[in-house]
Amino acid sequence: MTRKPVPLGTTQEPAREERSARHLERPFLFVVLHGDRPTLGGARYSLWETDLVAIGRGPERAASRVHEGGTRRLEVRLPDAAISKTQARLIRRGGGWAFEDAGSKNGSFINGRRVGNTTLQDGDFIELGNVVLRYRAGLPASPSSASDLDLQGAEIGGFSTLVPQLADDLDALTRIARAPVPVLLLGESGTGKEVLAAGLHAHAGRPGPLVAVNCGALTASLLESQLFGHLKGAFTGAIRDEPGYVRRANGGTLFLDEVGDLPLPAQATLLRVLEEGEVVPIGGTTPIKVDLRVVAATHRPLDKMAIQGEFRVDLLARLSGHRHTLKPLRQRIEDMGLLVGALLQRSKVRGASESGFTVDAAKWLLSHPWPLNIRELSQALGVAAALAEERLIQRAHLSDRGQEEPEPDAEMNRMTPDDPLRGRIMALLEKNRGNVSDVARDLGKSRVQIYRWMQKLSIDIEDYRP
C-alpha cells in the first residue's frame, strides 16, 4: 500500500465548524475509480477546511493545499489524458457545494449527465474523463479519519478503506488484534470475514498457524472428532490418532467461520475448551493444554438465536470479546477502486492486472447493488478480464454471468402481490428461517433472482429471520 500525505494549510474553521467532537459529519470528495488504470486505487479528500477545489490533469494523482487571500484551496491532479489541465472546480456555497466545469475539452458529467454548473447532492458521481469521483455531503468521522488519504493497493488482510467511520472501526480492530481477546466478526455473506480473520492473525504476531474451520461444512456425525480430535480406536474408522482443528491451532489462531451453524452439543464442548484452555480428544481421558486465540464469524443473528435457545448465551459471551461488523459492499462504494485494484492484481486470470474499463463498465460497477458483496465482485472481475479483448473491460463483459439473467421486463411487470410465486417464496423463507441461499437452492435459482422477486413482490426478508 502506498500512502501519499497531503500537506494541510494552517487555517481557521468557520464558526459553525469550530465545535469539537469525537465524531462529526464532514463533507468529502472521493476519487473512486480510475477506469483506464484501476490498480491506482482511490483517494479521500476532506472538504472540511476548504473553500475551493480545483481539479485538473497531472502526471500522477496528487493533491496539495494552499491558503491564499483568505481562500482555502485544494488542488487535485489526476493522471488521465482525457482530462483537461484545468477541468473543473468545486465551490463552497453556504452549507453545501457547487460544481463548475472550467471549459474543459471533453466536458464534465454528474451521474451520467453533462453539466456546466450545478449544485451537488450527497452521493453524486462526478465523471471526468475516465475517472469517477464521488461527493459526500456528510460522513461521520473522527479527527484521524477525517484527514486526506491516498491509497494504492491493499493493506494486509482487508484493513484498507477510505470510508472514515469504517477506518475508525478497523483502527480499533488493529489494536485489538495485538491483545489476547476473542473477536466476533459479523456481516453478510461475501463481505470478507475470512480475509479479515487472516489479517487479524497476521497483526497478532502469534507463532502458531491460522486454522480456519467452516462450521457449516462439518459433518454432524464426525463434528466433535474433527474439532477436538480423537484417539485411535475411539470409534469405527478411527485408524489413527487425530489432533483435530483445536490442537492444530495451538499457539496460533482458530477461525470458526459460520459459528452460528454449530449444534448445541458441540457448543458446550467448545465452551469448556475456551474456559479451561484444554481439550479432551474423543476416546481420551487426559486433558491436553492448548493456547489459542479464537476469531469467530457468522452472518446469522446470534443474539436472537441465543434468546431463542438456539445458541448458548455463555458461549456467545465468551466469543464476543470484541465485535466487528463488516459493511456490505453497497455501503462502501467509495472503496470500489481500492477493491477492484486489489482483486485485479491478485486475479489468476492472465493479464487481469493490466485491465482497464470503459466509462460505461466503470459506471456499472458503481451502480450494481452487489447482493453477494465482494465475493460477487471478485467473480465478476475474473470473468470480465478473461472475456476482454485488448485488456479493455466493457459493459457487456460485466453481465451477471453464471447467475440467472433478470426476468423479461414484460413478465416482471405482470407480477402482482397476489402472484402464486409470492406464497411459494414466503413458505420457503419461513422454512429456511430467512436464509436466501437455501431458498435459491430449493427453487434452483440464483440469490440475485430471489432478491429481485422479493423486491417486486413486496416481501420483507426481515420478517422471516430469527
Side-chain angles (χ1 to χ4, degrees):
M1 183 193 71
T2 302
R3 295 176 183 265
K4 297 180 181 178
V6 180
L8 299 179
T10 55
T11 61
Q12 297 296 318
E13 286 286 287
R16 66 179 182 84
E17 296 178 349
E18 290 179 348
R19 296 168 294 183
S20 61
R22 173 63 182 162
H23 287 79
L24 293 175
E25 286 203 350
R26 304 172 187 243
F28 291 93
L29 178 67
F30 293 88
V31 177
V32 179
L33 182 63
H34 292 257
D36 56 341
R37 299 169 64 185
T39 55
L40 284 180
R44 175 185 75 211
Y45 303 116
S46 172
L47 303 179
W48 183 248
E49 294 183 314
T50 309
D51 300 307
L52 176 69
V53 181
I55 306 173
R57 186 180 69 249
E60 62 179 357
R61 189 172 66 215
S64 61
R65 292 183 180 273
V66 294
H67 189 190
E68 295 179 345
T71 299
R72 300 162 299 181
R73 180 184 180 95
L74 169 64
E75 299 273 357
V76 177
R77 294 286 169 244
L78 302 172
D80 189 329
I83 293 178
S84 299
K85 186 175 181 180
T86 302
Q87 174 76 25
R89 290 181 288 269
L90 272 67
I91 305 167
R92 181 198 287 269
R93 288 182 180 167
W97 285 81
F99 178 88
E100 179 182 286
D101 181 82
S104 63
K105 179 180 178 181
N106 295 316
S108 302
F109 298 79
I110 304 291
N111 303 323
R113 182 175 60 88
R114 185 163 184 164
V115 298
N117 299 277
T118 188
T119 299
L120 289 172
Q121 304 297 323
D122 180 47
D124 277 350
F125 287 105
I126 304 169
E127 304 159 30
L128 307 178
N130 297 294
V131 184
V132 181
L133 302 91
R134 195 179 201 194
Y135 165 73
R136 298 305 308 270
L139 294 177
S142 67
S144 61
S145 64
S147 60
D148 297 346
L149 182 62
D150 191 305
L151 291 177
Q152 295 182 28
E155 265 188 356
I156 186 170
F159 280 77
S160 290
T161 183
L162 293 169
V163 181
Q165 192 171 30
L166 181 54
D168 288 328
D169 293 342
L170 289 172
D171 181 61
L173 193 61
T174 303
R175 296 194 298 272
I176 289 293
R178 296 186 284 269
V181 176
V183 175
L184 181 59
L185 302 176
L186 304 171
E188 297 178 9
S189 295
T191 49
K193 293 187 283 292
E194 186 169 357
V195 173
L196 199 56
L200 277 165
H201 175 70
H203 279 295
R206 294 179 63 85
L210 169 68
V211 177
V213 185
N214 185 342
C215 298
L218 296 176
T219 58
S221 58
L222 296 177
L223 187 149
E224 295 202 18
S225 169
Q226 292 170 308
L227 269 179
F228 311 118
H230 64 259
L231 300 183
K232 180 181 178 180
F235 51 85
T236 302
I239 60 176
R240 67 177 70 87
D241 290 353
E242 289 290 346
Y245 291 118
V246 169
R247 273 194 285 165
R248 286 180 189 146
N250 188 41
T253 302
L254 179 66
F255 174 49
L256 299 171
D257 197 10
E258 300 302 345
V259 71
D261 292 338
L262 271 182
L264 287 170
Q267 292 179 29
T269 308
L270 177 61
L271 177 63
R272 289 196 299 272
V273 170
L274 299 182
E275 288 183 335
E276 304 298 331
E278 57 187 28
V279 60
V280 179
I282 294 176
T285 57
T286 304
I288 301 172
K289 286 291 184 181
V290 288
D291 172 26
L292 50 82
R293 200 270 184 81
V294 175
V295 177
T298 185
H299 69 283
R300 304 186 66 185
L302 292 188
D303 291 316
K304 292 182 180 179
M305 291 173 65
I307 293 173
Q308 295 174 352
E310 298 173 356
F311 198 88
R312 292 183 65 103
V313 175
D314 43 8
L315 177 59
L316 179 57
R318 174 67 63 173
L319 296 174
S320 300
H322 178 79
R323 293 191 180 199
H324 177 82
T325 300
L326 287 81
K327 288 182 178 293
L329 181 53
R330 61 185 175 275
Q331 293 181 12
R332 52 179 303 197
I333 291 298
E334 291 80 11
D335 281 335
M336 182 60 75
L338 189 65
L339 295 169
V340 167
L343 292 171
L344 287 176
Q345 287 178 322
R346 298 172 188 173
S347 175
K348 295 180 180 179
V349 177
R350 181 179 298 178
S353 60
E354 288 85 40
S355 296
F357 299 88
T358 65
V359 174
D360 285 343
K363 288 161 63 175
W364 183 86
L365 285 173
L366 300 174
S367 61
H368 185 64
W370 301 109
L372 307 185
N373 294 297
I374 298 174
R375 184 180 295 127
E376 180 187 359
L377 174 63
S378 178
Q379 293 177 341
L381 291 175
V383 172
L387 291 172
E389 299 177 2
E390 299 180 355
R391 307 287 181 250
L392 186 62
I393 295 174
Q394 301 180 27
R395 168 64 186 89
H397 300 146
L398 289 164
S399 299
D400 297 337
R401 298 177 185 272
Q403 301 178 30
E404 184 172 316
E405 292 296 320
E407 294 288 323
D409 289 343
E411 185 173 345
M412 286 289 285
N413 289 337
R414 285 197 298 269
M415 283 186 174
T416 61
D418 59 354
D419 192 292
L421 179 61
R422 187 174 193 270
R424 190 178 178 193
I425 293 176
M426 292 170 65
L428 288 172
L429 285 169
E430 186 73 33
K431 168 193 167 187
N432 293 300
R433 305 174 65 80
N435 189 313
V436 176
S437 295
D438 291 343
V439 174
R441 279 193 294 270
D442 288 345
L443 289 174
K445 303 292 183 180
S446 69
R447 280 184 44 159
V448 174
Q449 187 61 60
I450 301 302
Y451 276 111
R452 289 193 185 103
W453 278 340
M454 287 193 300
Q455 182 178 14
K456 181 65 177 178
L457 297 171
S458 302
I459 299 174
D460 188 351
I461 186 66
E462 297 302 327
D463 291 341
Y464 300 91
R465 289 178 171 166

